[in-house]
Amino acid sequence: AQSVTQPDIHITVSEGASLELRCNYSYGATPYLFWYVQSPGQGLQLLLKYFSGDTLVQGIKGFEAEFKRSQSSFNLRKPSVHWSDAAEYFCAVGLTNFGNEKLTFGTGTRLTIIP
Amino acid sequence: DGGITQSPKYLFRKEGQNVTLSCEQNLNHDAMYWYRQDPGQGLRLIYYSQIVNDFQKGDIAEGYSVSREKKESFPLTVTSAQKNPTAFYLCASSEVQETQYFGPGTRLLVL
């Protein structure tokens, strides 16, 4: 069965600094990979996704992620964070055999922004 | 506006009571999903449906039931058999084998 690990439970970053959130997955084939963001008490918003092709994926709000097959990773990056980026971030993996019926989520990384 | 709506935003359940959470989408998506979110855990799949009148159990279906009588609606019932129902419940929809989009969620609390 596939699994997703987000090793950082909580990250604090200064406004304007760069950000990298880590995501590692375990799956035997090339997965579908996603990053979602959740503000407190809200639903999840899709930031970006990787299905195939270019391994560097651009998303909304200035985020990007890079798929590295050799490291089984799909880390999320942003060159300069804004206070509005404070939220919880979830990485997810889907089975390519069955599409997205079986999304598996990581436990999330909570991002705090300090002035 | 196209989107997914969930109601109510907050729901209170008494002991031994069944409660139903509503999920409606006007995106014309074939597939719909229910997830449960607990603090410090990722989302866990309860049930999903790829087509009207058909649905499958997810990883934590015990104590829950669903129906899919209409394409746009996928209500979730939390039965009295679910002994720990306090959680945040999220509904999602997608075209089959495409990206899932989420509703705003319902928080269920036990009185």
Side-chain angles (χ1 to χ4, degrees):
Chain A
Q2 73 272 27
S3 66
V4 178
T5 301
Q6 293 182 249
D8 302 307
I9 296 173
H10 184 203
I11 284 182
T12 299
V13 177
S14 297
E15 190 168 15
S18 63
L19 171 71
E20 183 169 27
L21 302 182
R22 295 183 290 166
C23 173
N24 294 96
Y25 67 90
S26 172
Y27 181 56
T30 301
Y32 292 168
L33 294 161
F34 306 84
W35 275 100
Y36 287 89
V37 61
Q38 184 181 36
S39 297
Q42 303 296 316
L44 273 68
Q45 180 183 23
L46 179 71
L47 284 176
L48 47 78
K49 61 187 178 184
Y50 172 78
F51 282 5
S52 64
D54 192 346
T55 56
L56 184 62
V57 180
Q58 301 298 320
I60 62 171
K61 304 185 180 186
F63 285 93
E64 67 177 26
E66 186 171 11
F67 170 57
K68 293 185 177 180
R69 185 190 305 275
S70 61
Q71 299 177 20
S72 297
S73 70
F74 189 57
N75 293 350
L76 182 71
R77 301 193 294 247
K78 187 170 185 178
S80 177
V81 298
H82 186 263
W83 64 266
S84 60
D85 293 325
E88 187 142 24
Y89 292 79
F90 292 92
C91 181
V93 59
L95 293 177
T96 51
N97 286 342
F98 300 100
N100 295 325
E101 294 84 49
K102 294 279 189 175
L103 275 187
T104 298
F105 285 83
T107 52
T109 297
R110 184 160 61 92
L111 176 64
T112 297
I113 308 295
I114 56 175
Chain B
D1 279 341
I4 302 170
T5 57
Q6 292 187 241
S7 61
K9 188 174 176 67
Y10 296 95
L11 185 59
F12 298 91
R13 193 190 91 163
K14 296 179 181 179
E15 291 288 338
Q17 185 182 42
N18 292 354
V19 293
T20 297
L21 285 63
S22 170
C23 177
E24 304 274 333
Q25 54 98 1
N26 61 4
L27 301 169
N28 201 34
H29 286 165
D30 287 309
M32 297 186 74
Y33 315 81
W34 273 106
Y35 291 91
R36 171 179 171 139
Q37 185 178 26
D38 296 282
Q41 300 190 40
L43 280 66
R44 293 182 290 168
L45 183 64
I46 304 172
Y47 269 99
Y48 66 97
S49 168
Q50 292 182 266
I51 196 169
V52 174
N53 292 322
D54 187 48
F55 48 82
Q56 285 75 44
K57 293 181 179 180
D59 299 321
I60 56 165
E62 185 174 351
Y64 300 97
S65 65
V66 293
S67 62
R68 187 84 186 277
E69 297 177 0
K70 298 187 294 183
K71 185 176 184 177
E72 59 270 25
S73 179
F74 191 40
L76 173 74
T77 296
V78 183
T79 75
S80 57
Q82 172 50 244
K83 298 306 179 187
N84 184 24
T86 298
F88 191 51
Y89 290 87
L90 288 158
C91 178
S93 72
S94 73
E95 295 291 350
V96 176
Q97 298 190 7
E98 287 294 330
T99 303
Q100 292 185 25
Y101 294 93
F102 286 81
T106 292
R107 187 164 299 280
L108 177 61
L109 301 166
V110 177
L111 295 176

PDB file of all heavy atoms in Angstrom, chain B residues 6-8 11 19-23 34 74-78 89-90 106-108:
ATOM      1  N   GLN B   6     -21.199  22.126   1.703  1.00  0.00           N
ATOM      2  CA  GLN B   6     -21.435  21.176   2.784  1.00  0.00           C
ATOM      3  C   GLN B   6     -22.259  21.873   3.861  1.00  0.00           C
ATOM      4  O   GLN B   6     -22.011  23.032   4.177  1.00  0.00           O
ATOM      5  CB  GLN B   6     -20.112  20.703   3.404  1.00  0.00           C
ATOM      6  CG  GLN B   6     -19.281  19.834   2.473  1.00  0.00           C
ATOM      7  CD  GLN B   6     -18.083  19.252   3.191  1.00  0.00           C
ATOM      8  OE1 GLN B   6     -16.941  19.500   2.818  1.00  0.00           O
ATOM      9  NE2 GLN B   6     -18.334  18.456   4.213  1.00  0.00           N
ATOM     10  N   SER B   7     -23.215  21.157   4.382  1.00  0.00           N
ATOM     11  CA  SER B   7     -24.010  21.716   5.465  1.00  0.00           C
ATOM     12  C   SER B   7     -24.379  20.622   6.454  1.00  0.00           C
ATOM     13  O   SER B   7     -24.484  19.449   6.092  1.00  0.00           O
ATOM     14  CB  SER B   7     -25.284  22.377   4.907  1.00  0.00           C
ATOM     15  OG  SER B   7     -26.083  21.421   4.246  1.00  0.00           O
ATOM     16  N   PRO B   8     -24.555  21.009   7.733  1.00  0.00           N
ATOM     17  CA  PRO B   8     -24.272  22.343   8.261  1.00  0.00           C
ATOM     18  C   PRO B   8     -22.778  22.549   8.481  1.00  0.00           C
ATOM     19  O   PRO B   8     -21.988  21.617   8.295  1.00  0.00           O
ATOM     20  CB  PRO B   8     -25.020  22.322   9.601  1.00  0.00           C
ATOM     21  CG  PRO B   8     -24.919  20.896  10.032  1.00  0.00           C
ATOM     22  CD  PRO B   8     -25.017  20.075   8.774  1.00  0.00           C
ATOM     23  N   LEU B  11     -22.286  20.605  13.605  1.00  0.00           N
ATOM     24  CA  LEU B  11     -23.347  19.648  13.881  1.00  0.00           C
ATOM     25  C   LEU B  11     -23.079  19.000  15.220  1.00  0.00           C
ATOM     26  O   LEU B  11     -21.952  18.602  15.517  1.00  0.00           O
ATOM     27  CB  LEU B  11     -23.408  18.598  12.772  1.00  0.00           C
ATOM     28  CG  LEU B  11     -24.531  17.570  12.807  1.00  0.00           C
ATOM     29  CD1 LEU B  11     -25.891  18.252  12.775  1.00  0.00           C
ATOM     30  CD2 LEU B  11     -24.398  16.607  11.633  1.00  0.00           C
ATOM     31  N   VAL B  19     -26.837  11.040  12.632  1.00  0.00           N
ATOM     32  CA  VAL B  19     -26.879  12.377  12.033  1.00  0.00           C
ATOM     33  C   VAL B  19     -26.420  12.280  10.589  1.00  0.00           C
ATOM     34  O   VAL B  19     -25.601  11.421  10.247  1.00  0.00           O
ATOM     35  CB  VAL B  19     -26.009  13.389  12.798  1.00  0.00           C
ATOM     36  CG1 VAL B  19     -26.592  13.653  14.190  1.00  0.00           C
ATOM     37  CG2 VAL B  19     -24.567  12.920  12.901  1.00  0.00           C
ATOM     38  N   THR B  20     -26.938  13.199   9.745  1.00  0.00           N
ATOM     39  CA  THR B  20     -26.594  13.177   8.330  1.00  0.00           C
ATOM     40  C   THR B  20     -25.944  14.483   7.924  1.00  0.00           C
ATOM     41  O   THR B  20     -26.461  15.565   8.216  1.00  0.00           O
ATOM     42  CB  THR B  20     -27.845  12.924   7.470  1.00  0.00           C
ATOM     43  OG1 THR B  20     -28.364  11.625   7.790  1.00  0.00           O
ATOM     44  CG2 THR B  20     -27.493  12.958   5.984  1.00  0.00           C
ATOM     45  N   LEU B  21     -24.807  14.364   7.240  1.00  0.00           N
ATOM     46  CA  LEU B  21     -24.072  15.496   6.724  1.00  0.00           C
ATOM     47  C   LEU B  21     -24.363  15.609   5.224  1.00  0.00           C
ATOM     48  O   LEU B  21     -24.308  14.608   4.501  1.00  0.00           O
ATOM     49  CB  LEU B  21     -22.566  15.310   6.940  1.00  0.00           C
ATOM     50  CG  LEU B  21     -22.004  15.490   8.351  1.00  0.00           C
ATOM     51  CD1 LEU B  21     -22.570  14.469   9.332  1.00  0.00           C
ATOM     52  CD2 LEU B  21     -20.484  15.393   8.301  1.00  0.00           C
ATOM     53  N   SER B  22     -24.607  16.824   4.793  1.00  0.00           N
ATOM     54  CA  SER B  22     -24.965  17.052   3.400  1.00  0.00           C
ATOM     55  C   SER B  22     -23.753  17.470   2.581  1.00  0.00           C
ATOM     56  O   SER B  22     -22.882  18.210   3.060  1.00  0.00           O
ATOM     57  CB  SER B  22     -26.037  18.142   3.314  1.00  0.00           C
ATOM     58  OG  SER B  22     -26.237  18.555   1.987  1.00  0.00           O
ATOM     59  N   CYS B  23     -23.677  16.979   1.340  1.00  0.00           N
ATOM     60  CA  CYS B  23     -22.657  17.406   0.390  1.00  0.00           C
ATOM     61  C   CYS B  23     -23.312  17.521  -0.980  1.00  0.00           C
ATOM     62  O   CYS B  23     -23.900  16.548  -1.483  1.00  0.00           O
ATOM     63  CB  CYS B  23     -21.505  16.419   0.334  1.00  0.00           C
ATOM     64  SG  CYS B  23     -20.253  16.879  -0.897  1.00  0.00           S
ATOM     65  N   TRP B  34     -15.962  11.097   0.747  1.00  0.00           N
ATOM     66  CA  TRP B  34     -16.047  11.602   2.106  1.00  0.00           C
ATOM     67  C   TRP B  34     -14.771  11.228   2.849  1.00  0.00           C
ATOM     68  O   TRP B  34     -14.333  10.064   2.819  1.00  0.00           O
ATOM     69  CB  TRP B  34     -17.237  11.010   2.852  1.00  0.00           C
ATOM     70  CG  TRP B  34     -18.508  11.767   2.650  1.00  0.00           C
ATOM     71  CD1 TRP B  34     -19.571  11.401   1.890  1.00  0.00           C
ATOM     72  CD2 TRP B  34     -18.851  13.034   3.236  1.00  0.00           C
ATOM     73  NE1 TRP B  34     -20.562  12.349   1.960  1.00  0.00           N
ATOM     74  CE2 TRP B  34     -20.149  13.356   2.780  1.00  0.00           C
ATOM     75  CE3 TRP B  34     -18.205  13.911   4.099  1.00  0.00           C
ATOM     76  CZ2 TRP B  34     -20.803  14.529   3.163  1.00  0.00           C
ATOM     77  CZ3 TRP B  34     -18.848  15.072   4.470  1.00  0.00           C
ATOM     78  CH2 TRP B  34     -20.137  15.374   4.006  1.00  0.00           C
ATOM     79  N   PHE B  74     -24.259  13.601  -2.239  1.00  0.00           N
ATOM     80  CA  PHE B  74     -23.614  12.411  -1.650  1.00  0.00           C
ATOM     81  C   PHE B  74     -23.658  12.561  -0.117  1.00  0.00           C
ATOM     82  O   PHE B  74     -22.650  12.843   0.532  1.00  0.00           O
ATOM     83  CB  PHE B  74     -22.177  12.306  -2.144  1.00  0.00           C
ATOM     84  CG  PHE B  74     -21.469  11.006  -1.836  1.00  0.00           C
ATOM     85  CD1 PHE B  74     -22.119   9.789  -1.924  1.00  0.00           C
ATOM     86  CD2 PHE B  74     -20.119  11.006  -1.477  1.00  0.00           C
ATOM     87  CE1 PHE B  74     -21.461   8.594  -1.660  1.00  0.00           C
ATOM     88  CE2 PHE B  74     -19.445   9.814  -1.218  1.00  0.00           C
ATOM     89  CZ  PHE B  74     -20.117   8.619  -1.298  1.00  0.00           C
ATOM     90  N   PRO B  75     -24.808  12.365   0.501  1.00  0.00           N
ATOM     91  CA  PRO B  75     -24.920  12.554   1.952  1.00  0.00           C
ATOM     92  C   PRO B  75     -24.251  11.438   2.747  1.00  0.00           C
ATOM     93  O   PRO B  75     -24.253  10.272   2.325  1.00  0.00           O
ATOM     94  CB  PRO B  75     -26.438  12.559   2.183  1.00  0.00           C
ATOM     95  CG  PRO B  75     -26.999  11.792   1.034  1.00  0.00           C
ATOM     96  CD  PRO B  75     -26.102  12.058  -0.134  1.00  0.00           C
ATOM     97  N   LEU B  76     -23.698  11.803   3.882  1.00  0.00           N
ATOM     98  CA  LEU B  76     -23.033  10.871   4.789  1.00  0.00           C
ATOM     99  C   LEU B  76     -23.816  10.809   6.092  1.00  0.00           C
ATOM    100  O   LEU B  76     -24.077  11.840   6.700  1.00  0.00           O
ATOM    101  CB  LEU B  76     -21.608  11.342   5.089  1.00  0.00           C
ATOM    102  CG  LEU B  76     -20.827  10.578   6.152  1.00  0.00           C
ATOM    103  CD1 LEU B  76     -20.378   9.215   5.611  1.00  0.00           C
ATOM    104  CD2 LEU B  76     -19.611  11.389   6.603  1.00  0.00           C
ATOM    105  N   THR B  77     -24.158   9.601   6.531  1.00  0.00           N
ATOM    106  CA  THR B  77     -24.818   9.412   7.823  1.00  0.00           C
ATOM    107  C   THR B  77     -23.818   8.822   8.800  1.00  0.00           C
ATOM    108  O   THR B  77     -23.184   7.794   8.512  1.00  0.00           O
ATOM    109  CB  THR B  77     -26.041   8.503   7.700  1.00  0.00           C
ATOM    110  OG1 THR B  77     -27.014   9.141   6.862  1.00  0.00           O
ATOM    111  CG2 THR B  77     -26.674   8.239   9.069  1.00  0.00           C
ATOM    112  N   VAL B  78     -23.690   9.491   9.923  1.00  0.00           N
ATOM    113  CA  VAL B  78     -22.857   8.992  11.020  1.00  0.00           C
ATOM    114  C   VAL B  78     -23.799   8.269  11.970  1.00  0.00           C
ATOM    115  O   VAL B  78     -24.685   8.894  12.580  1.00  0.00           O
ATOM    116  CB  VAL B  78     -22.132  10.145  11.735  1.00  0.00           C
ATOM    117  CG1 VAL B  78     -21.207   9.600  12.817  1.00  0.00           C
ATOM    118  CG2 VAL B  78     -21.357  10.992  10.725  1.00  0.00           C
ATOM    119  N   TYR B  89     -15.302  16.733   8.918  1.00  0.00           N
ATOM    120  CA  TYR B  89     -15.637  15.887   7.785  1.00  0.00           C
ATOM    121  C   TYR B  89     -15.585  16.710   6.493  1.00  0.00           C
ATOM    122  O   TYR B  89     -16.203  17.773   6.386  1.00  0.00           O
ATOM    123  CB  TYR B  89     -17.029  15.282   7.969  1.00  0.00           C
ATOM    124  CG  TYR B  89     -17.057  14.262   9.074  1.00  0.00           C
ATOM    125  CD1 TYR B  89     -17.275  14.649  10.399  1.00  0.00           C
ATOM    126  CD2 TYR B  89     -16.843  12.906   8.810  1.00  0.00           C
ATOM    127  CE1 TYR B  89     -17.277  13.708  11.423  1.00  0.00           C
ATOM    128  CE2 TYR B  89     -16.846  11.972   9.829  1.00  0.00           C
ATOM    129  CZ  TYR B  89     -17.065  12.385  11.128  1.00  0.00           C
ATOM    130  OH  TYR B  89     -17.065  11.450  12.137  1.00  0.00           O
ATOM    131  N   LEU B  90     -14.857  16.174   5.530  1.00  0.00           N
ATOM    132  CA  LEU B  90     -14.665  16.862   4.264  1.00  0.00           C
ATOM    133  C   LEU B  90     -15.218  16.030   3.113  1.00  0.00           C
ATOM    134  O   LEU B  90     -14.958  14.838   3.019  1.00  0.00           O
ATOM    135  CB  LEU B  90     -13.176  17.134   4.023  1.00  0.00           C
ATOM    136  CG  LEU B  90     -12.577  18.214   4.919  1.00  0.00           C
ATOM    137  CD1 LEU B  90     -11.081  18.055   5.026  1.00  0.00           C
ATOM    138  CD2 LEU B  90     -12.936  19.581   4.373  1.00  0.00           C
ATOM    139  N   THR B 106     -17.575  20.076   7.497  1.00  0.00           N
ATOM    140  CA  THR B 106     -18.541  20.093   8.594  1.00  0.00           C
ATOM    141  C   THR B 106     -17.834  19.582   9.838  1.00  0.00           C
ATOM    142  O   THR B 106     -17.215  18.520   9.813  1.00  0.00           O
ATOM    143  CB  THR B 106     -19.751  19.179   8.304  1.00  0.00           C
ATOM    144  OG1 THR B 106     -20.525  19.733   7.233  1.00  0.00           O
ATOM    145  CG2 THR B 106     -20.645  19.045   9.535  1.00  0.00           C
ATOM    146  N   ARG B 107     -17.966  20.350  10.926  1.00  0.00           N
ATOM    147  CA  ARG B 107     -17.379  19.897  12.191  1.00  0.00           C
ATOM    148  C   ARG B 107     -18.471  19.234  13.013  1.00  0.00           C
ATOM    149  O   ARG B 107     -19.500  19.850  13.307  1.00  0.00           O
ATOM    150  CB  ARG B 107     -16.757  21.051  12.964  1.00  0.00           C
ATOM    151  CG  ARG B 107     -15.986  20.581  14.202  1.00  0.00           C
ATOM    152  CD  ARG B 107     -15.072  21.639  14.756  1.00  0.00           C
ATOM    153  NE  ARG B 107     -14.046  22.069  13.810  1.00  0.00           N
ATOM    154  CZ  ARG B 107     -12.929  21.410  13.551  1.00  0.00           C
ATOM    155  NH1 ARG B 107     -12.677  20.264  14.145  1.00  0.00           N
ATOM    156  NH2 ARG B 107     -12.051  21.899  12.703  1.00  0.00           N
ATOM    157  N   LEU B 108     -18.252  17.987  13.377  1.00  0.00           N
ATOM    158  CA  LEU B 108     -19.214  17.223  14.164  1.00  0.00           C
ATOM    159  C   LEU B 108     -18.722  17.106  15.599  1.00  0.00           C
ATOM    160  O   LEU B 108     -17.572  16.714  15.843  1.00  0.00           O
ATOM    161  CB  LEU B 108     -19.397  15.827  13.561  1.00  0.00           C
ATOM    162  CG  LEU B 108     -20.315  14.865  14.314  1.00  0.00           C
ATOM    163  CD1 LEU B 108     -21.730  15.414  14.405  1.00  0.00           C
ATOM    164  CD2 LEU B 108     -20.324  13.497  13.628  1.00  0.00           C
TER     165      LEU B 108
END
